[in-house]
Amino acid sequence: MSTSYPLHKIKVVLLENIHPRAVELFEAAGFTVEHHKKAYTGQELLDVAGDAHMVGIRSKTRLTKEFFENARRLWAVGAFCIGTNQIDLKTAAAHGVPVFNAPFSNTRSVAELTISEIVALHRHLFDRSREVHQGRWLKSATGAHEIRGRTLGIVGYGRIGSQLSVLAEAMGMRVVFYDIVDVLPHGNAARMPSLGALLEVADVVTLHVPGGTGTKHMIGGEQLALMKKGAYLINNARGDVVVIEALAEALKSGRLAGAAVDVFPEEPESNEEPFKSPLQGLPNVILTPHIGGSTAEAQHAIAEFASGRLIKLMNVGTTTGAVNVPEVELPVLHHDHHRILHFHRNVPGVLGQLHTMIAGAGVNIAAEYLQSDPKHAYCIIDVDSSAGEAIKDGLARIPETIRVRTLF
Ligand code: NAI
């Protein structure tokens, strides 16, 4: 398998100190890699990455309309993180540039952090540890519990929630969950009919829902009042899911016996900025700087996942996992065939033009794949070998063509 472009001339620019595993994988694929530690903006970003075929970023680099309009050789973007808000996805799609992220790679890390917090809250671990650091020896069993036999309420039973469910049961917890989708329970986990029903029975409530308008402030004063007296709340999901002032109130009044919070409505942009929260200084409250998914293993997994997507796009044409263009999973190309990858604007008549042009050249179509969204379509045509390059130029001249590439 090859591309119509010499592999070593495919330039991959990685910014923001992406895990070196990505460099290894791109180099093993034959591409040329530039690895930068920093994030860049504006003209500096264009100087560093403006001539790249693939760009890998994390959350700090903003890929704007201006960037896509100027990065003329760009074929794809890898967001080596979960979120893609930092990327102008629409403009990327309009230029035929698929954007990939790595949404599952830190699932385990968040689930493990949550397990550790469930234990730590039940033992008031952070307060006891701080006291000993300060030279105070307050040995006591009051308020300390095993987690075995306690009820964990998981709100949002997706990737993280369901993984956590398995780990918690292995530690002897009883698991109940609430999700708006009819998901399959793992082990003995029991689905609850409503959020309220879960809040009423759980000793620990842990949130694993997505952010956005559907979940904004889903835990406020009213919901906290439904929780068992002395229960714990964990938010490792998104900062705006919880009304933070209401949580502070519930902790101060003693309704809740503690909380662990990793995500906040407003978070500093960098490690240099200070941080303030109404939860600071409250007893048995674990505050962490959005590190739920921040482990070496997650970074390694992200590097493998995102690089894998980009390499598969380059070598096979597959767009599965792209967040902004139609997703097409493709088989490996047969050695007797050429593969034409054609991104075009989704308007009537384009497929007709493609077929007429291919038929006019006397070329046989061996296989064809198509996927579209309201604006764009991605059509992949496998043709008899030697024919691909011959018709590529003609296809590029179709006015609705955004991008055409050949593999052989
Ligand atoms: P997911 O998409 O796999 O699961 C989310 C689940 O929540 C889905 O099953 C969905 O049906 C359910 N859901 C959506 N709206 C709901 C509602 N109103 N009530 C109940 N359930 C609802 O997501 P994943 O990967 O498990 O991530 C969960 C959260 O964890 C996300 O908010 C994500 O941003 C956050 N996260 C935080 C990290 C950190 O560093 N603290 C790292 C990774 C993810």
Side-chain angles (χ1 to χ4, degrees):
M1 172 70 57
S2 183
T3 74
S4 55
Y5 203 80
L7 287 179
H8 70 279
K9 286 196 177 172
I10 296 178
K11 181 173 171 185
V12 184
V13 174
L14 301 177
L15 306 175
E16 301 189 57
N17 206 16
I18 284 168
H19 195 283
R21 179 69 183 141
V23 179
E24 279 172 28
L25 290 169
F26 285 123
E27 286 182 346
F31 309 157
T32 300
V33 186
E34 275 184 20
H35 186 258
H36 297 263
K37 294 221 179 310
K38 286 176 43 181
Y40 294 92
T41 53
Q43 187 55 47
E44 245 192 324
L45 175 62
L46 277 171
D47 291 344
V48 171
D51 65 344
H53 296 103
M54 286 184 272
V55 173
I57 61 164
R58 291 170 67 186
S59 53
K60 284 195 190 125
T61 305
R62 305 231 169 277
L63 296 184
T64 58
K65 188 166 188 277
E66 192 201 0
F67 177 78
F68 288 109
E69 281 167 356
N70 286 286
R72 303 218 163 252
R73 297 161 82 187
L74 193 64
W75 280 334
V77 168
F80 285 69
C81 51
I82 312 298
T84 51
N85 295 344
Q86 71 281 34
I87 303 167
D88 182 341
L89 297 175
K90 278 192 189 153
T91 306
H95 286 79
V97 176
V99 175
F100 299 91
N101 62 345
F104 326 109
S105 305
N106 59 12
T107 299
R108 177 70 185 202
S109 301
V110 181
E112 285 192 14
L113 177 73
T114 308
I115 284 286
S116 76
E117 290 170 339
I118 295 169
V119 177
L121 288 170
H122 278 83
R123 304 296 290 273
H124 298 243
L125 207 58
F126 281 65
D127 292 353
R128 294 297 87 83
S129 171
R130 192 178 51 250
E131 289 151 9
V132 176
H133 274 286
Q134 292 165 344
R136 290 185 293 150
W137 190 263
L138 303 177
K139 181 173 162 65
S140 162
T142 309
H145 295 278
E146 292 184 351
I147 67 167
R148 179 171 50 168
R150 309 278 279 185
T151 299
L152 176 65
I154 300 176
V155 181
Y157 202 72
R159 290 180 288 254
I160 296 170
S162 57
Q163 174 88 205
L164 174 64
S165 171
V166 174
L167 298 177
E169 279 199 340
M171 296 187 71
M173 296 192 86
R174 182 175 161 248
V175 175
V176 297
F177 69 90
Y178 169 67
D179 199 295
I180 48 168
V181 172
D182 199 5
V183 284
L184 182 74
H186 289 261
N188 296 316
R191 162 185 285 279
M192 300 305 282
S194 65
L195 175 61
L198 177 143
L199 296 173
E200 281 170 8
V201 300
D203 297 304
V204 190
V205 173
T206 183
L207 308 173
H208 301 287
V209 290
T213 46
T215 56
K216 186 169 179 181
H217 292 172
M218 77 185 280
I219 303 291
E222 203 182 306
Q223 290 72 27
L224 292 165
L226 291 176
M227 287 175 67
K228 283 167 96 169
K229 185 161 166 39
Y232 303 109
L233 181 75
I234 299 178
N235 184 11
N236 290 337
R238 289 289 194 93
D240 58 7
V241 176
V242 176
V243 181
I244 204 130
E245 294 78 14
L247 174 59
E249 254 337 290
L251 288 159
K252 281 180 198 157
S253 70
R255 162 130 224 117
L256 296 191
V261 181
D262 188 45
V263 287
F264 300 86
E266 279 165 34
E267 297 179 4
E269 292 266 317
S270 75
N271 286 354
E272 282 67 48
E273 276 179 42
F275 174 70
K276 269 204 84 59
S277 166
L279 302 177
Q280 283 164 329
L282 297 175
N284 206 20
V285 173
I286 303 169
L287 303 180
T288 45
H290 205 146
I291 48 142
S294 306
T295 62
E297 289 75 13
Q299 291 306 316
H300 189 274
I302 286 171
E304 292 212 326
F305 189 86
S307 316
R309 297 284 144 174
L310 292 169
I311 292 167
K312 221 169 162 198
L313 172 79
M314 295 313 297
N315 288 347
V316 185
T318 296
T319 50
T320 306
V323 296
N324 64 333
V325 298
E327 295 184 62
V328 185
E329 181 70 36
L330 294 167
V332 170
L333 180 60
H334 189 274
H335 60 84
D336 278 345
H337 296 154
H338 277 188
R339 177 166 287 169
I340 298 161
L341 311 168
H342 191 262
F343 268 107
H344 57 265
R345 285 189 284 119
N346 190 8
V347 292
V350 181
L351 284 183
Q353 291 185 67
L354 282 178
H355 290 147
T356 307
M357 196 166 284
I358 293 170
V363 171
N364 183 46
I365 294 180
E368 182 169 332
Y369 314 85
L370 175 76
Q371 206 52 259
S372 60
D373 63 28
K375 287 200 158 172
H376 311 103
Y378 183 30
C379 180
I380 301 95
I381 303 176
D382 290 355
V383 294
D384 292 342
S385 67
S386 78
E389 281 301 284
I391 50 176
K392 183 181 153 193
D393 291 344
L395 298 182
R397 280 196 295 275
I398 295 175
E400 291 80 8
T401 298
I402 297 174
R403 163 155 295 176
V404 57
R405 194 160 70 86
T406 342
L407 302 175
F408 49 82

